Short mmCIF file of all heavy atoms in Angstrom, two decimals:
data_model
loop_
_atom_site.label_atom_id
_atom_site.label_comp_id
_atom_site.label_asym_id
_atom_site.label_seq_id
_atom_site.Cartn_x
_atom_site.Cartn_y
_atom_site.Cartn_z
N GLU A 28 51.08 -16.86 -23.61
CA GLU A 28 49.90 -17.71 -23.43
C GLU A 28 48.67 -16.85 -23.64
O GLU A 28 48.75 -15.64 -23.80
CB GLU A 28 49.89 -18.31 -22.02
CG GLU A 28 51.01 -19.29 -21.72
CD GLU A 28 50.77 -20.67 -22.31
OE1 GLU A 28 49.69 -20.88 -22.91
OE2 GLU A 28 51.63 -21.54 -22.14
N ASP A 29 47.49 -17.48 -23.64
CA ASP A 29 46.27 -16.68 -23.75
C ASP A 29 45.78 -16.28 -22.36
O ASP A 29 46.22 -16.83 -21.35
CB ASP A 29 45.18 -17.41 -24.54
CG ASP A 29 44.86 -18.79 -23.98
OD1 ASP A 29 44.90 -18.95 -22.73
OD2 ASP A 29 44.54 -19.69 -24.77
N ILE A 30 44.86 -15.32 -22.33
CA ILE A 30 44.39 -14.81 -21.06
C ILE A 30 43.68 -15.90 -20.25
O ILE A 30 43.79 -15.94 -19.02
CB ILE A 30 43.44 -13.60 -21.28
CG1 ILE A 30 44.22 -12.43 -21.90
CG2 ILE A 30 42.79 -13.17 -19.97
CD1 ILE A 30 43.36 -11.22 -22.22
N GLU A 31 42.98 -16.78 -20.95
CA GLU A 31 42.27 -17.85 -20.25
C GLU A 31 43.24 -18.74 -19.47
O GLU A 31 42.92 -19.18 -18.36
CB GLU A 31 41.46 -18.69 -21.24
CG GLU A 31 40.25 -18.00 -21.83
CD GLU A 31 40.61 -16.90 -22.83
OE1 GLU A 31 41.72 -16.96 -23.42
OE2 GLU A 31 39.79 -15.98 -23.01
N TYR A 32 44.42 -18.98 -20.04
CA TYR A 32 45.41 -19.77 -19.32
C TYR A 32 45.84 -19.06 -18.04
O TYR A 32 45.93 -19.68 -16.97
CB TYR A 32 46.64 -20.03 -20.19
CG TYR A 32 47.77 -20.68 -19.41
CD1 TYR A 32 47.78 -22.05 -19.18
CD2 TYR A 32 48.78 -19.90 -18.85
CE1 TYR A 32 48.79 -22.63 -18.42
CE2 TYR A 32 49.78 -20.47 -18.09
CZ TYR A 32 49.78 -21.83 -17.88
OH TYR A 32 50.78 -22.40 -17.11
N VAL A 33 46.10 -17.75 -18.14
CA VAL A 33 46.56 -17.00 -16.97
C VAL A 33 45.50 -16.98 -15.88
O VAL A 33 45.79 -17.24 -14.71
CB VAL A 33 46.94 -15.55 -17.37
CG1 VAL A 33 47.26 -14.72 -16.12
CG2 VAL A 33 48.13 -15.55 -18.32
N THR A 34 44.24 -16.67 -16.25
CA THR A 34 43.19 -16.59 -15.25
C THR A 34 42.90 -17.96 -14.61
O THR A 34 42.48 -18.02 -13.46
CB THR A 34 41.89 -16.02 -15.85
OG1 THR A 34 41.50 -16.81 -16.98
CG2 THR A 34 42.11 -14.58 -16.29
N GLY A 35 43.16 -19.03 -15.34
CA GLY A 35 42.93 -20.36 -14.80
C GLY A 35 44.12 -20.96 -14.06
O GLY A 35 43.97 -21.98 -13.38
N ASN A 36 45.28 -20.31 -14.19
CA ASN A 36 46.50 -20.86 -13.57
C ASN A 36 47.34 -19.72 -12.98
O ASN A 36 48.54 -19.61 -13.23
CB ASN A 36 47.33 -21.61 -14.63
CG ASN A 36 46.58 -22.76 -15.25
OD1 ASN A 36 46.58 -23.88 -14.74
ND2 ASN A 36 45.94 -22.49 -16.38
N ARG A 37 46.71 -18.88 -12.19
CA ARG A 37 47.37 -17.66 -11.71
C ARG A 37 48.59 -17.97 -10.84
O ARG A 37 49.65 -17.37 -11.01
CB ARG A 37 46.38 -16.78 -10.95
CG ARG A 37 45.21 -16.32 -11.82
CD ARG A 37 44.23 -15.46 -11.06
NE ARG A 37 44.75 -14.12 -10.84
CZ ARG A 37 45.00 -13.61 -9.63
NH1 ARG A 37 44.77 -14.33 -8.56
NH2 ARG A 37 45.48 -12.39 -9.52
N TYR A 38 48.45 -18.89 -9.91
CA TYR A 38 49.57 -19.21 -9.03
C TYR A 38 50.74 -19.78 -9.83
O TYR A 38 51.90 -19.37 -9.66
CB TYR A 38 49.16 -20.23 -7.96
CG TYR A 38 48.22 -19.71 -6.90
CD1 TYR A 38 47.71 -18.41 -6.93
CD2 TYR A 38 47.84 -20.53 -5.84
CE1 TYR A 38 46.85 -17.95 -5.95
CE2 TYR A 38 46.98 -20.08 -4.85
CZ TYR A 38 46.49 -18.80 -4.91
OH TYR A 38 45.64 -18.34 -3.93
N GLU A 39 50.43 -20.71 -10.70
CA GLU A 39 51.49 -21.37 -11.48
C GLU A 39 52.18 -20.38 -12.41
O GLU A 39 53.42 -20.40 -12.54
CB GLU A 39 50.89 -22.51 -12.30
CG GLU A 39 50.36 -23.68 -11.48
CD GLU A 39 48.94 -23.45 -10.96
OE1 GLU A 39 48.37 -22.36 -11.20
OE2 GLU A 39 48.42 -24.36 -10.29
N ALA A 40 51.41 -19.51 -13.04
CA ALA A 40 51.99 -18.55 -13.98
C ALA A 40 52.90 -17.56 -13.27
O ALA A 40 54.01 -17.27 -13.73
CB ALA A 40 50.88 -17.81 -14.71
N ALA A 41 52.44 -17.05 -12.13
CA ALA A 41 53.25 -16.08 -11.38
C ALA A 41 54.52 -16.73 -10.83
O ALA A 41 55.61 -16.15 -10.92
CB ALA A 41 52.43 -15.49 -10.24
N GLU A 42 54.38 -17.92 -10.29
CA GLU A 42 55.54 -18.62 -9.74
C GLU A 42 56.58 -18.90 -10.81
O GLU A 42 57.78 -18.63 -10.62
CB GLU A 42 55.08 -19.94 -9.10
CG GLU A 42 56.23 -20.78 -8.54
CD GLU A 42 55.78 -22.18 -8.18
OE1 GLU A 42 55.11 -22.83 -9.03
OE2 GLU A 42 56.10 -22.65 -7.08
N LYS A 43 56.15 -19.41 -11.95
CA LYS A 43 57.09 -19.79 -13.00
C LYS A 43 57.83 -18.58 -13.56
O LYS A 43 59.05 -18.62 -13.76
CB LYS A 43 56.37 -20.52 -14.13
CG LYS A 43 57.31 -21.07 -15.21
CD LYS A 43 56.56 -21.87 -16.25
CE LYS A 43 57.51 -22.56 -17.20
NZ LYS A 43 58.42 -21.63 -17.89
N LEU A 44 57.11 -17.49 -13.82
CA LEU A 44 57.76 -16.31 -14.37
C LEU A 44 58.75 -15.71 -13.38
O LEU A 44 59.86 -15.30 -13.77
CB LEU A 44 56.71 -15.26 -14.76
CG LEU A 44 57.26 -13.97 -15.38
CD1 LEU A 44 58.04 -14.26 -16.66
CD2 LEU A 44 56.13 -12.98 -15.66
N ALA A 45 58.37 -15.66 -12.11
CA ALA A 45 59.27 -15.12 -11.09
C ALA A 45 60.56 -15.92 -11.01
O ALA A 45 61.66 -15.34 -10.95
CB ALA A 45 58.57 -15.10 -9.73
N ILE A 46 60.45 -17.23 -11.04
CA ILE A 46 61.64 -18.09 -10.97
C ILE A 46 62.46 -18.00 -12.25
O ILE A 46 63.69 -17.85 -12.21
CB ILE A 46 61.23 -19.54 -10.68
CG1 ILE A 46 60.63 -19.67 -9.28
CG2 ILE A 46 62.43 -20.48 -10.84
CD1 ILE A 46 60.03 -21.03 -8.99
N ASP A 47 61.78 -18.08 -13.39
CA ASP A 47 62.49 -18.08 -14.69
C ASP A 47 63.30 -16.80 -14.90
O ASP A 47 64.42 -16.83 -15.38
CB ASP A 47 61.49 -18.24 -15.84
CG ASP A 47 60.97 -19.65 -15.97
OD1 ASP A 47 61.50 -20.55 -15.28
OD2 ASP A 47 60.05 -19.87 -16.77
N TYR A 48 62.71 -15.66 -14.56
CA TYR A 48 63.37 -14.37 -14.79
C TYR A 48 64.16 -13.87 -13.58
O TYR A 48 64.92 -12.92 -13.69
CB TYR A 48 62.33 -13.31 -15.17
CG TYR A 48 61.87 -13.34 -16.61
CD1 TYR A 48 61.73 -14.53 -17.33
CD2 TYR A 48 61.54 -12.17 -17.28
CE1 TYR A 48 61.30 -14.55 -18.63
CE2 TYR A 48 61.10 -12.16 -18.59
CZ TYR A 48 60.98 -13.36 -19.26
OH TYR A 48 60.55 -13.38 -20.57
N GLY A 49 63.92 -14.48 -12.40
CA GLY A 49 64.59 -14.01 -11.19
C GLY A 49 64.06 -12.66 -10.73
O GLY A 49 64.84 -11.79 -10.29
N ILE A 50 62.74 -12.46 -10.80
CA ILE A 50 62.14 -11.16 -10.51
C ILE A 50 60.95 -11.32 -9.56
O ILE A 50 60.54 -12.43 -9.24
CB ILE A 50 61.64 -10.47 -11.81
CG1 ILE A 50 60.55 -11.33 -12.48
CG2 ILE A 50 62.80 -10.22 -12.76
CD1 ILE A 50 59.93 -10.70 -13.73
N TYR A 51 60.43 -10.18 -9.12
CA TYR A 51 59.18 -10.15 -8.35
C TYR A 51 58.03 -9.90 -9.33
O TYR A 51 58.10 -8.98 -10.14
CB TYR A 51 59.21 -9.04 -7.30
CG TYR A 51 60.22 -9.25 -6.21
CD1 TYR A 51 61.55 -8.86 -6.39
CD2 TYR A 51 59.86 -9.83 -5.00
CE1 TYR A 51 62.50 -9.05 -5.40
CE2 TYR A 51 60.80 -10.03 -3.99
CZ TYR A 51 62.11 -9.63 -4.20
OH TYR A 51 63.05 -9.84 -3.21
N VAL A 52 57.00 -10.71 -9.24
CA VAL A 52 55.84 -10.58 -10.12
C VAL A 52 54.62 -10.26 -9.27
O VAL A 52 54.27 -11.01 -8.35
CB VAL A 52 55.59 -11.88 -10.91
CG1 VAL A 52 54.32 -11.74 -11.75
CG2 VAL A 52 56.79 -12.21 -11.79
N VAL A 53 53.99 -9.12 -9.56
CA VAL A 53 52.74 -8.75 -8.91
C VAL A 53 51.64 -8.98 -9.94
O VAL A 53 51.42 -8.16 -10.83
CB VAL A 53 52.76 -7.28 -8.45
CG1 VAL A 53 51.44 -6.92 -7.76
CG2 VAL A 53 53.95 -7.02 -7.53
N LEU A 54 50.97 -10.13 -9.85
CA LEU A 54 49.92 -10.47 -10.80
C LEU A 54 48.61 -9.92 -10.26
O LEU A 54 48.02 -10.45 -9.31
CB LEU A 54 49.84 -11.98 -11.01
CG LEU A 54 48.78 -12.46 -12.01
CD1 LEU A 54 48.88 -11.75 -13.35
CD2 LEU A 54 48.88 -13.98 -12.19
N LYS A 55 48.16 -8.82 -10.87
CA LYS A 55 47.00 -8.10 -10.36
C LYS A 55 45.70 -8.82 -10.70
O LYS A 55 45.63 -9.59 -11.65
CB LYS A 55 46.98 -6.69 -10.95
CG LYS A 55 48.17 -5.84 -10.52
CD LYS A 55 48.12 -4.42 -11.03
CE LYS A 55 48.32 -4.30 -12.51
NZ LYS A 55 48.57 -2.91 -12.96
N GLY A 56 44.67 -8.52 -9.90
CA GLY A 56 43.37 -9.13 -10.09
C GLY A 56 42.75 -9.42 -8.74
O GLY A 56 43.29 -9.02 -7.71
N PRO A 57 41.60 -10.09 -8.72
CA PRO A 57 41.04 -10.51 -7.44
C PRO A 57 42.07 -11.35 -6.69
O PRO A 57 42.61 -12.31 -7.24
CB PRO A 57 39.82 -11.34 -7.84
CG PRO A 57 39.47 -10.86 -9.22
CD PRO A 57 40.78 -10.52 -9.87
N GLU A 58 42.37 -10.98 -5.46
CA GLU A 58 43.41 -11.65 -4.68
C GLU A 58 44.75 -11.60 -5.42
O GLU A 58 45.31 -12.61 -5.85
CB GLU A 58 43.01 -13.08 -4.31
CG GLU A 58 41.73 -13.12 -3.48
CD GLU A 58 41.57 -14.41 -2.70
OE1 GLU A 58 42.05 -15.46 -3.17
OE2 GLU A 58 40.95 -14.36 -1.61
N THR A 59 45.26 -10.39 -5.56
CA THR A 59 46.54 -10.15 -6.23
C THR A 59 47.64 -11.02 -5.60
O THR A 59 47.71 -11.18 -4.38
CB THR A 59 46.91 -8.66 -6.12
OG1 THR A 59 45.99 -7.91 -6.93
CG2 THR A 59 48.32 -8.39 -6.60
N ILE A 60 48.48 -11.54 -6.47
CA ILE A 60 49.57 -12.43 -6.05
C ILE A 60 50.89 -11.70 -6.17
O ILE A 60 51.17 -11.06 -7.18
CB ILE A 60 49.61 -13.70 -6.93
CG1 ILE A 60 48.31 -14.49 -6.81
CG2 ILE A 60 50.82 -14.57 -6.58
CD1 ILE A 60 48.14 -15.53 -7.91
N VAL A 61 51.74 -11.80 -5.14
CA VAL A 61 53.12 -11.33 -5.20
C VAL A 61 54.01 -12.56 -5.19
O VAL A 61 54.01 -13.32 -4.22
CB VAL A 61 53.46 -10.41 -4.02
CG1 VAL A 61 54.94 -10.01 -4.07
CG2 VAL A 61 52.58 -9.17 -4.03
N ALA A 62 54.74 -12.77 -6.27
CA ALA A 62 55.65 -13.91 -6.38
C ALA A 62 57.08 -13.43 -6.23
O ALA A 62 57.50 -12.48 -6.91
CB ALA A 62 55.47 -14.62 -7.72
N GLU A 63 57.83 -14.07 -5.35
CA GLU A 63 59.24 -13.73 -5.15
C GLU A 63 60.11 -14.48 -6.16
O GLU A 63 59.68 -15.48 -6.75
CB GLU A 63 59.66 -14.09 -3.73
CG GLU A 63 58.94 -13.31 -2.64
CD GLU A 63 59.54 -13.58 -1.28
OE1 GLU A 63 60.70 -13.18 -1.05
OE2 GLU A 63 58.86 -14.21 -0.44
N PRO A 64 61.36 -14.05 -6.34
CA PRO A 64 62.24 -14.72 -7.30
C PRO A 64 62.48 -16.20 -7.01
O PRO A 64 62.79 -16.97 -7.92
CB PRO A 64 63.55 -13.93 -7.19
CG PRO A 64 63.12 -12.57 -6.75
CD PRO A 64 61.96 -12.80 -5.83
N ASP A 65 62.31 -16.62 -5.74
CA ASP A 65 62.48 -18.04 -5.42
C ASP A 65 61.18 -18.83 -5.58
O ASP A 65 61.13 -20.03 -5.30
CB ASP A 65 63.04 -18.22 -4.01
CG ASP A 65 62.08 -17.76 -2.92
OD1 ASP A 65 60.97 -17.29 -3.23
OD2 ASP A 65 62.45 -17.87 -1.72
N GLY A 66 60.12 -18.15 -6.02
CA GLY A 66 58.84 -18.82 -6.24
C GLY A 66 57.86 -18.73 -5.09
O GLY A 66 56.70 -19.15 -5.24
N THR A 67 58.27 -18.21 -3.95
CA THR A 67 57.35 -18.03 -2.83
C THR A 67 56.22 -17.08 -3.22
O THR A 67 56.47 -16.02 -3.81
CB THR A 67 58.08 -17.48 -1.59
OG1 THR A 67 59.13 -18.37 -1.23
CG2 THR A 67 57.12 -17.31 -0.42
N LEU A 68 54.99 -17.46 -2.92
CA LEU A 68 53.81 -16.67 -3.29
C LEU A 68 53.16 -16.07 -2.05
O LEU A 68 52.98 -16.75 -1.03
CB LEU A 68 52.79 -17.53 -4.03
CG LEU A 68 53.27 -18.25 -5.30
CD1 LEU A 68 52.13 -19.07 -5.89
CD2 LEU A 68 53.79 -17.26 -6.32
N TRP A 69 52.78 -14.80 -2.17
CA TRP A 69 52.03 -14.11 -1.12
C TRP A 69 50.73 -13.61 -1.73
O TRP A 69 50.74 -12.89 -2.72
CB TRP A 69 52.84 -12.94 -0.57
CG TRP A 69 54.09 -13.38 0.11
CD1 TRP A 69 55.33 -13.51 -0.46
CD2 TRP A 69 54.22 -13.77 1.47
NE1 TRP A 69 56.23 -13.96 0.47
CE2 TRP A 69 55.59 -14.13 1.67
CE3 TRP A 69 53.34 -13.86 2.55
CZ2 TRP A 69 56.06 -14.56 2.90
CZ3 TRP A 69 53.83 -14.29 3.78
CH2 TRP A 69 55.17 -14.63 3.95
N VAL A 70 49.61 -14.00 -1.14
CA VAL A 70 48.30 -13.69 -1.70
C VAL A 70 47.64 -12.60 -0.86
O VAL A 70 47.63 -12.66 0.37
CB VAL A 70 47.41 -14.94 -1.73
CG1 VAL A 70 46.07 -14.62 -2.38
CG2 VAL A 70 48.10 -16.07 -2.49
N ASN A 71 47.08 -11.60 -1.55
CA ASN A 71 46.40 -10.50 -0.89
C ASN A 71 44.89 -10.71 -0.90
O ASN A 71 44.33 -11.17 -1.90
CB ASN A 71 46.72 -9.19 -1.61
CG ASN A 71 46.01 -8.02 -0.98
OD1 ASN A 71 46.25 -7.70 0.18
ND2 ASN A 71 45.12 -7.38 -1.72
N HIS A 72 44.24 -10.35 0.21
CA HIS A 72 42.79 -10.57 0.32
C HIS A 72 42.00 -9.28 0.49
O HIS A 72 40.80 -9.34 0.78
CB HIS A 72 42.50 -11.52 1.48
CG HIS A 72 43.19 -12.85 1.35
ND1 HIS A 72 42.85 -13.79 0.39
CD2 HIS A 72 44.23 -13.38 2.04
CE1 HIS A 72 43.63 -14.85 0.51
NE2 HIS A 72 44.48 -14.62 1.50
N THR A 73 42.65 -8.13 0.33
CA THR A 73 41.89 -6.87 0.40
C THR A 73 41.50 -6.42 -1.00
O THR A 73 42.02 -6.91 -2.00
CB THR A 73 42.72 -5.76 1.06
OG1 THR A 73 43.89 -5.50 0.27
CG2 THR A 73 43.12 -6.14 2.47
N GLY A 74 40.61 -5.44 -1.08
CA GLY A 74 40.20 -4.89 -2.38
C GLY A 74 38.83 -5.34 -2.79
O GLY A 74 38.26 -6.28 -2.23
N ASN A 75 38.29 -4.68 -3.79
CA ASN A 75 36.95 -4.98 -4.28
C ASN A 75 36.86 -4.60 -5.75
O ASN A 75 37.81 -4.04 -6.33
CB ASN A 75 35.90 -4.25 -3.44
CG ASN A 75 36.14 -2.75 -3.43
OD1 ASN A 75 35.97 -2.07 -4.44
ND2 ASN A 75 36.56 -2.22 -2.26
#
């Protein structure tokens, strides 16, 4: 996909890739997302 899609759909992109591949996805950026293989998302609020 293009970068604009990822930045506009961060939760959906991380969740789908984690489930599709069966992996943990750490999508970096403001409020980094950790997606588990079952699709559970954990959002981080530290950093600047």
Side-chain angles (χ1 to χ4, degrees):
E28 294 281 357
D29 55 35
I30 294 177
E31 289 72 24
Y32 172 82
V33 173
T34 56
N36 300 274
R37 299 180 75 243
Y38 290 3
E39 293 83 358
E42 178 192 49
K43 186 176 188 303
L44 181 60
I46 293 172
D47 285 352
Y48 280 35
I50 62 176
Y51 294 85
V52 176
V53 181
L54 181 52
K55 296 183 290 192
E58 300 200 329
T59 291
I60 299 165
V61 176
E63 296 188 67
D65 66 0
T67 302
L68 303 180
W69 296 92
V70 183
N71 179 63
H72 302 291
T73 62
N75 57 69

